[in-house]
Amino acid sequence: LLQNLSQTPVLRELLKEAKIPDTTVKIESPELFMEPQLVKLEQPGPLTLAMHQFLTEMQETKRGVVTPKELFAQVCKKAIRFKGYQQQDSQELLRYLLDGMRAEE
């Protein structure tokens, strides 16, 4: 799941820009009939920053192994159901991760 997210250029670019407080990003739709949207971003929250840090490490690491420890800790703060290291559905994790970042906007 996280490897797939790390290969999503739009997400990486948005998180890079979201890291800068009070920035405005332009989101363009692939559909021609939709106008580009300008979104003003506030100070990024801890989950958003942890996601940015993790994706950056995945792109830049030479070690081959990246541990999402901080990202996982931030997800657990938003959704305590993930705390016990029990097996969870990846779709559920994705939903909590993206919803958590959206709630920080």
Side-chain angles (χ1 to χ4, degrees):
L1 170 71
L2 292 175
Q3 287 175 331
N4 290 338
L5 289 176
S6 75
Q7 298 303 313
T8 308
V10 172
L11 178 61
R12 286 195 323 261
E13 287 302 313
L14 280 174
L15 286 173
K16 190 186 320 179
E17 292 182 32
K19 195 176 101 170
I20 305 165
D22 298 321
T23 190
T24 301
V25 295
K26 182 179 181 180
I27 300 174
E28 296 191 41
S29 172
E31 289 141 34
L32 299 175
F33 62 88
M34 294 185 69
E35 298 263 337
Q37 301 291 315
L38 292 176
V39 179
K40 182 169 170 72
L41 302 174
E42 303 296 325
Q43 177 72 30
L47 180 59
T48 303
L49 289 173
M51 184 65 175
H52 175 266
Q53 176 185 350
F54 176 74
L55 293 181
T56 301
E57 285 177 21
M58 282 198 71
Q59 292 296 310
E60 296 176 353
T61 189
K62 304 290 185 229
R63 297 177 292 157
V65 177
V66 177
T67 305
K69 187 182 280 187
E70 179 59 25
L71 179 59
F72 183 66
Q74 291 302 324
V75 168
C76 289
K77 287 180 182 179
K78 303 275 184 195
I80 55 174
R81 70 183 323 150
F82 292 103
K83 264 192 178 171
Y85 294 102
Q86 297 174 1
Q87 187 170 351
Q88 299 287 342
D89 183 34
S90 62
Q91 181 180 354
E92 199 172 0
L93 173 64
L94 178 62
R95 188 185 67 168
Y96 278 101
L97 177 63
L98 296 178
D99 284 349
M101 288 191 308
R102 184 173 17 157
E104 290 181 344
E105 290 178 355

